[in-house]
Amino acid sequence: MTGAAPQSAMMSVLKVLRSGEPVSRADLPARTGLSAGTITSTTAALVKRGLIVERKAAAVGRGRPRVYLELNGAGGTVVGARLSERRDLQVSFVNLAGVELHSTTMPIHLTGTLSGLAQRIASALQEAISLAPVGGIRQVSLSLPALVDSERGDVHFMMTYRSEPVPFAAIIAERILLPVTVENDSNLLSRAEHWFGRAQLYDDFTLISVDYAVTSARYSNGLPCSGSSGFTPELGHVKTSYGPSARPCYCGAAGCCSAYSSMGGLVLNPDEWAEATPSLLDLVDERMDRLIHAASQGEPRALQSLADAGEHLGRLVADHINGVDPGMVLLIAPDELYVRFARDQFEAALTANTIPELRRRTTIVFATRSPDWHWKGLAALALERVYLQSDRASLPAGAAFG
């Protein structure tokens, strides 16, 4: 990592300090793989920006007290907000050390357009910020269950709304007069896992989330990785079946992995997807519970449905490993029973379709969501934006960042 770009070097240092252990500059080369010179310049820049502080240890004997570095929790506050699938806004206020200071949930009334939804979220954020017992807000980050251009902060598609590019970040920033970034939920989940969870030790990994749909996100060299247009990888819409019998997907195509392996794909038909509303998610939950129960009772059709889900997921992961060599794939499943009934066919499809040497070099981890992934992902998203901005003092009020 001695040739790491400044952003990567900065994030490497901050990740070590995030562990909460006493760390000195002399410790950092071994902990990060960066050269001593890079450590000196990087930590000096972080101290100057108020993101980290120096703390002298108590003197021992006649020697000079050791100086430790730590994240500057008093350096400001970031706000993370997530619009849930059921359309409420979960808002967390976090200090620069990643500690949650305050949280609240704001109801969001549905509107007919994405631009109208942006205005309603802006109003809810204004109210949440005005009532919060914290100040010094430096960044607001919003996560949506949508197709998002994270570079520009535009939302291009969200179920129940007309497909159109809407400058979500700019609309909200103009109202609340704070920098705003917008991401989708899979990138939020990947950040929660990278900063606080099972991917902390991996600078390169792919997260695949099996939920109402199959979604995904990637990290490369310790930073989120998007495509040239700013979009998160949509691995759920990689085709794992072809021909006239391929199952239709809610995206309008057929044969997508999401149509076979997601909860929605398992228990809904295309017409029901087309009428997607928040109440539809309750129907998915109810039907999925019945499917899992039937499989637990040994019902053949239920067992076959979940085996098929595993097979298509295995094909997807195999193609991804062959094409990308991600190093680690973290699969987030709806629950442990989904893993139990789908895993054998998943492993069989993975083994049959992956180049053997690449399979041996790839770590595959199955897991379920941790209960606090929302605020941890939101915290990581907002803090990441603060950390990676080179000079916040020069920014005009209301500037928006994707």
Side-chain angles (χ1 to χ4, degrees):
M1 291 183 62
T2 54
Q7 285 190 344
S8 296
M10 194 180 310
M11 294 304 291
S12 294
V13 170
L14 290 166
K15 286 170 190 174
V16 171
L17 298 184
R18 208 172 58 233
S19 70
E21 302 172 8
V23 180
S24 70
R25 281 185 178 84
D27 298 325
L28 286 169
R31 297 281 295 273
T32 64
L34 299 168
S35 68
T38 300
I39 290 296
T40 298
S41 60
T42 300
T43 55
L46 291 170
V47 170
K48 182 179 179 180
R49 291 175 54 200
L51 298 180
I52 67 176
V53 291
E54 299 174 325
R55 177 177 56 81
K56 286 186 179 180
V60 178
R62 300 174 62 183
R64 179 178 299 176
R66 196 169 192 188
V67 176
Y68 291 108
L69 302 171
E70 59 186 32
L71 297 177
N72 182 17
T77 306
V78 296
V79 179
R82 176 182 182 260
L83 183 68
S84 76
E85 294 87 348
R86 287 170 172 78
R87 305 301 191 260
D88 56 20
L89 196 68
Q90 303 161 333
V91 187
S92 293
F93 295 78
V94 180
N95 71 17
L96 293 194
V99 177
E100 188 178 41
L101 306 174
H102 175 69
S103 65
T104 187
T105 299
M106 308 294 293
I108 298 291
H109 299 292
L110 296 179
T111 179
T113 65
L114 283 171
S115 57
L117 179 63
Q119 292 289 353
R120 293 191 176 181
I121 289 175
S123 297
L125 280 170
Q126 278 182 317
E127 183 177 357
I129 290 170
S130 68
L131 296 175
V134 297
I137 295 172
R138 300 178 61 162
Q139 172 76 37
V140 174
S141 291
L142 173 68
S143 178
L144 300 169
L147 181 63
V148 175
D149 177 347
S150 57
E151 295 297 322
R152 297 175 178 80
D154 296 344
V155 173
H156 286 257
F157 171 75
M158 187 169 170
M159 267 192 263
T160 75
Y161 291 97
R162 184 164 62 95
S163 180
E164 57 178 339
V166 173
F168 237 76
I171 291 171
I172 296 172
E174 185 177 1
R175 286 278 304 277
I176 67 176
L177 301 179
L178 287 166
V180 175
T181 185
V182 179
E183 274 285 14
N184 70 4
D185 278 356
S186 55
N187 265 345
L188 187 72
L189 182 56
S190 71
R191 282 172 167 91
E193 292 292 348
H194 183 57
W195 283 57
F196 302 101
R198 288 150 287 210
Q200 288 185 74
L201 301 179
Y202 297 89
D203 281 343
D204 299 274
F205 73 95
T206 295
L207 178 141
I208 298 175
S209 172
V210 180
D211 199 62
Y212 297 107
V214 173
T215 60
S216 57
R218 279 207 66 215
Y219 260 74
S220 178
N221 198 25
L223 294 170
C225 181
S226 60
S228 62
S229 299
F231 294 116
T232 299
E234 290 289 339
L235 294 182
H237 297 288
V238 169
K239 305 301 177 278
T240 54
S241 181
Y242 294 91
S245 62
R247 187 178 296 175
C249 179
Y250 69 87
C251 72
C256 302
C257 179
S258 195
Y260 292 90
S261 303
S262 71
M263 295 197 303
L266 280 166
V267 301
L268 293 177
N269 62 54
D271 291 338
E272 289 173 317
W273 267 125
E275 298 298 323
T277 63
S279 63
L280 183 63
L281 303 182
D282 294 326
L283 179 62
V284 173
D285 290 339
E286 178 186 333
R287 289 183 181 176
M288 193 68 189
D289 286 344
R290 291 206 301 264
L291 177 67
I292 292 291
H293 177 74
S296 300
Q297 299 298 309
E299 202 280 311
R301 286 184 299 178
L303 288 169
Q304 187 61 54
S305 292
L306 290 164
D308 290 345
E311 180 178 355
H312 284 268
L313 195 60
R315 293 177 189 173
L316 170 67
V317 174
D319 285 348
H320 183 63
I321 292 172
N322 291 340
V324 177
D325 183 20
M328 186 260 208
V329 177
L330 176 58
L331 288 154
I332 305 294
D335 55 41
E336 295 292 347
L337 289 175
Y338 179 100
V339 178
R340 172 185 163 190
F341 293 120
R343 186 150 195 171
D344 285 350
Q345 286 301 112
F346 169 85
E347 295 286 358
L350 183 67
T351 300
N353 294 288
T354 309
I355 297 171
E357 185 59 29
L358 286 175
R359 174 65 188 93
R360 284 192 291 271
R361 293 171 180 264
T362 306
T363 300
I364 307 288
V365 177
F366 267 101
T368 57
R369 283 174 177 78
S370 56
D372 52 2
W373 74 270
H374 297 115
W375 85 259
K376 287 181 176 178
L378 290 166
L381 172 59
L383 288 169
E384 191 176 87
R385 290 294 172 164
V386 171
Y387 292 157
L388 295 180
Q389 290 300 326
S390 60
D391 186 2
R392 304 311 300 249
S394 66
L395 296 172
F401 302 94

